[in-house]
Amino acid sequence: MADGRDDPSLKRTVLHALHTELGAKMVPFAGYEMPVQFPMGVLREHLHTRAAAGLFDVSHMGQLLLRGNGVAQALESLVPANLQGLAEGRQRYGFFTNDAGGILDDLMIANRGDALFLVVNAANASADLAHLRDGLPGVGIEPLDDRALLALQGPQAEAALAALIPAVADMRFMDARSLDWDGASLWISRSGYTGEDGFEISLPAARAEAFARALLDRPGVAPIGLGARDSLRLEAGLCLHGNDIDAGTTPVEAALTWAIPKSRRASGGFPGDAVILRQLADGPPRRRVGLAPEGRAPMRAGVALFDDAGTQVGHVTSGAFGPSAERPVAMGYVAAEHARPGTRLLGEVRGKRMPVTVSTLPHVPHRYRT
Amino acid sequence: MKFTEEHEWLRPEGDLVVVGITEHAAQQLGDVVFVELPELETQVAKGDEVSVIESVKAASDILAPCDGEIVAVNDALVDSPALVNEDPLGEAWFFKMRIDDMSVLDALMTEDEYKDFIA
């Protein structure tokens, strides 16, 4: 079985030695050698995160700062979100769109007061950087290559992190604050990619291993790999760029219009605004929906979806067995007339067409600290 | 018990052969969440895809290890796919075959040979 060990073309995060010590199975992901699972295994890591707390190394993701007068207004020319209205100490979800209304990448944007702090997908980080430099002349753009990124997720995340940094207990969902730990400046947001309460923590790379060990020493905290990260986010109905959204899907098709506020719908002023505003008014030709296969067989990415008449009406973009849902879960795109929850379709798995029902998302309820 | 390069084990039982997957295969697959068993009383040829295992990671085929007829399947795996991880060499057998020529087992690996094969 192929794995990424000792492949010199792959980058390593600063926690590589810790992962190896903890018995991680390492695989190539977005140019990095990353832990896909620890000895606990994907299924139990998933359940552990929902029951207690999971620690994820997401240092492969791109982190950068944008500075300068009017930086929020400038970034609004690339991202259809309300960034001028983003208060200091708050974070927001958004996406870079292209001229066709497609999604180049999705990202988190936090207002640090003196700068905007962006977290982008690892696979798109260099393209995003070029896109920002191209689109925002006059804005200071600073990639942060010397910071690690951790996520601590689950119902016991607050207790574990507050034992080290008591002030986090006062934060609510999508708050973003700078807090010190043992002399290091940690940029902490109350957010994540699992549907659970939890935190994402940017910190100096040189302190990341000591901090990760301190968290792993807390009761209930276990290291979690990318395998469980994927099944957790899928149950939570959260998109993976490159699977569920990409340059060929619009935010309207992707059911992400909640991230485009009224103020941006009125006047546009972002790439692809004509396409996106027209789809907002008239409805998109297809929609991203939840999918609940009726049997036990998972319907994975690429499975074709058919209506009763045998016409293909869509396809699965992410699918797996949901350990918390205790059944297969999936999401994908279907033609708008088949997007109503409860609609029965057929998904073709290994040549057999099996029933699957269009469902609402998430598959497992979110438990954010709102 | 004999072993194939496809990480299956075969155990003679009277005039039948019981087939399952090895502990090594179960470990590599990770947590098994779905098993599709072959149809009873079907004639299969060596190499036919007769069964499917889905783990949290991916789907894998189980191939017929030799020519013969499927005469029993282990329905317990449909309700409890996790048995494949818990007891791959025992309770988690997949199917029983009546094979045309029992001597084909002689050509398969012994346990020691299989251990060398996966080392």
Side-chain angles (χ1 to χ4, degrees):
Chain A
M1 206 165 277
D3 67 32
R5 221 159 296 161
D6 299 328
D7 180 341
S9 69
L10 292 174
K11 291 184 270 190
R12 293 177 167 185
T13 75
V14 72
L15 295 184
H16 186 277
L18 177 60
H19 298 322
T20 305
E21 178 187 319
L22 294 171
K25 181 179 178 200
M26 307 297 285
V27 298
F29 183 83
Y32 283 81
E33 196 180 325
M34 297 298 290
V36 67
Q37 66 172 80
F38 290 87
M40 194 186 277
V42 175
L43 197 72
R44 268 170 290 173
E45 289 173 31
H46 176 117
L47 295 171
H48 181 89
T49 302
R50 295 230 190 277
L55 180 65
F56 303 75
D57 178 15
V58 287
S59 302
H60 58 308
M61 298 188 78
Q63 305 180 60
L64 42 116
L65 288 176
L66 305 188
R67 295 177 201 277
N69 285 332
V71 63
Q73 185 178 7
L75 187 57
E76 283 188 359
S77 70
L78 300 180
V79 177
N82 177 6
L83 301 175
Q84 298 184 72
L86 179 63
E88 184 173 342
R90 292 289 291 164
Q91 175 174 277
R92 207 157 265 176
Y93 173 78
F95 24 79
F96 296 117
T97 49
N98 64 20
D99 289 338
I103 300 172
L104 293 171
D105 198 8
D106 61 343
L107 72 159
M108 285 291 192
I109 304 149
N111 183 353
R112 292 183 39 79
D114 60 340
L116 293 179
F117 173 50
L118 274 52
V119 177
V120 302
N121 284 299
N124 301 325
S126 58
D128 290 342
L129 186 58
H131 184 62
L132 285 163
R133 285 183 170 145
D134 235 34
L136 304 180
V139 168
I141 300 168
E142 183 189 342
L144 301 169
D145 298 326
D146 58 348
R147 291 186 80 86
L149 192 65
L150 304 179
L152 185 67
Q153 302 280 297
Q156 293 176 22
E158 181 189 286
L161 188 57
L164 307 180
I165 307 166
V168 299
D170 300 329
M171 296 172 69
R172 62 189 176 94
F173 186 57
M174 293 298 242
D175 275 350
R177 293 174 65 177
S178 289
L179 295 164
D180 283 352
W181 174 75
D182 199 21
S185 175
L186 275 51
W187 304 349
I188 301 178
S189 62
R190 194 153 198 164
S191 55
Y193 195 45
T194 61
E196 297 296 319
D197 181 26
F199 301 87
E200 294 173 297
I201 306 144
S202 166
L203 75 172
R207 304 304 306 282
E209 186 176 330
F211 185 72
R213 286 182 189 278
L215 285 175
L216 290 168
D217 279 345
R218 302 306 310 169
V221 181
I224 309 295
L226 292 180
R229 182 170 160 84
D230 192 52
S231 54
L232 287 159
R233 69 92 194 164
L234 172 57
E235 281 185 344
L238 302 171
C239 292
L240 172 61
H241 192 272
N243 275 44
D244 310 301
I245 50 176
D246 58 34
T249 57
T250 72
V252 188
E253 292 168 339
L256 296 173
T257 51
W258 54 269
I260 308 177
K262 243 184 213 163
S263 59
R264 302 303 312 274
R265 298 183 188 198
S267 50
F270 51 85
D273 51 3
V275 176
I276 289 170
L277 297 181
R278 189 172 65 241
Q279 286 191 351
L280 277 168
D282 300 344
R286 57 177 184 157
R287 283 185 197 276
R288 182 176 65 95
V289 295
L291 296 162
E294 284 176 24
R296 295 279 297 180
M299 292 188 185
R300 298 181 191 271
V303 163
L305 300 168
F306 299 86
D307 66 9
D308 284 345
T311 306
Q312 187 176 347
V313 297
H315 67 283
V316 173
T317 52
S318 286
F321 181 79
S324 302
E326 298 182 308
R327 57 174 177 80
V329 292
M331 65 171 96
Y333 285 83
V334 298
E337 62 270 30
H338 297 284
R340 184 186 300 274
T343 304
R344 292 191 74 199
L345 299 171
L346 297 166
E348 188 168 297
V349 180
R350 293 180 284 271
K352 275 185 248 169
R353 296 195 182 174
M354 331 247 271
V356 53
T357 305
V358 174
S359 70
T360 55
L361 289 171
H363 292 292
V364 169
H366 294 160
R367 297 196 290 179
Y368 301 137
R369 174 67 69 85
T370 48
Chain B
M1 192 179 273
K2 291 299 194 97
F3 297 84
T4 72
E5 294 189 358
E6 283 73 40
H7 308 285
E8 292 167 24
W9 54 259
L10 287 79
R11 192 181 70 229
E13 188 181 275
D15 61 344
L16 303 179
V17 169
V18 189
V19 181
I21 69 165
T22 67
E23 203 162 0
H24 172 77
Q27 273 171 12
Q28 293 293 311
L29 285 169
D31 302 298
V32 173
V33 296
F34 171 77
V35 171
E36 187 180 290
L37 294 165
E39 279 179 44
L40 275 177
E41 292 164 19
T42 46
Q43 287 290 330
V44 297
K46 183 182 176 185
D48 284 357
E49 296 164 1
V50 292
S51 187
V52 176
I53 316 176
E54 295 251 12
S55 75
V56 287
K57 295 175 194 163
S60 310
D61 291 312
I62 294 190
L63 309 180
C66 41
D67 298 350
E69 183 189 3
I70 306 284
V71 295
V73 297
N74 185 2
D75 288 320
L77 297 184
V78 175
D79 293 328
S80 306
L83 277 179
V84 177
N85 300 105
E86 290 159 13
D87 191 11
L89 300 182
E91 271 193 76
W93 59 277
F94 275 72
F95 50 86
K96 299 181 184 182
M97 294 179 70
R98 177 168 288 118
I99 65 176
D100 305 342
D101 176 8
M102 283 296 242
S103 71
V104 297
L105 291 183
D106 299 341
L108 300 178
M109 287 182 276
T110 64
E111 185 168 0
D112 283 345
E113 286 166 343
Y114 179 69
K115 277 181 182 159
D116 288 342
F117 175 69
I118 59 176

